[in-house]
Amino acid sequence: MNARNEKVSIPPRAVQSLRAGYYIEAVKIVREEYGLGLKEAKERVDHYTEQDPAMQVLAERHRKQEARGCIAWMLALGFAIGSIVLFLLKR
C-alpha cells in the first residue's frame, strides 16, 4: 500500500459507486480490478476517500443514512416481535 501522503487512484466505476453511496460495491470493484484481498481493497478505498474532502462528506452522509436505516429496521423488528408475543400471550 502506498504511503498515506501519496495519491491513490481507484477505477472510475468504484468512484461512481462511492458517489452513489455503495461503499461495499466500490471495494468489490477495486478487488476485481487490482486483484487485491479484501483488507487491501478496503484500505485503498478508505485512503481514496480520505484524500478527497468532498468524498469524505459523501461517505459520512451515507454512513449516517445507513445507521438510520439500521435503527428503523431494528425498531420495526422489535415492534413485530412484541406484537407476536402479545398475540400469543392473549390466546
Side-chain angles (χ1 to χ4, degrees):
M1 185 73 199
N2 295 339
R4 289 316 251 186
N5 58 356
E6 291 181 27
K7 283 276 193 187
V8 169
S9 64
I10 60 174
R13 286 179 35 228
V15 174
Q16 290 171 346
S17 293
L18 283 173
R19 287 191 176 134
Y22 299 114
Y23 176 82
I24 294 173
E25 185 63 27
V27 172
K28 286 180 185 178
I29 292 168
V30 169
R31 284 187 75 189
E32 291 170 5
E33 294 284 327
Y34 295 121
L36 299 173
L38 179 60
K39 181 181 181 216
E40 293 81 11
K42 181 186 176 307
E43 288 173 352
R44 189 172 189 101
V45 171
D46 289 343
H47 187 99
Y48 179 84
T49 58
E50 289 170 6
Q51 66 191 22
D52 183 356
M55 194 62 71
Q56 287 177 353
V57 171
L58 278 174
E60 183 61 28
R61 185 178 304 148
H62 291 300
R63 276 192 274 275
K64 287 179 182 178
Q65 287 173 345
E66 287 177 2
R68 284 187 207 114
C70 288
I71 291 170
W73 273 105
M74 286 189 291
L75 288 172
L77 183 60
F79 179 75
I81 291 171
S83 297
I84 291 169
V85 168
L86 284 175
F87 174 77
L88 293 174
L89 289 176
K90 288 184 178 181
R91 292 178 93 195

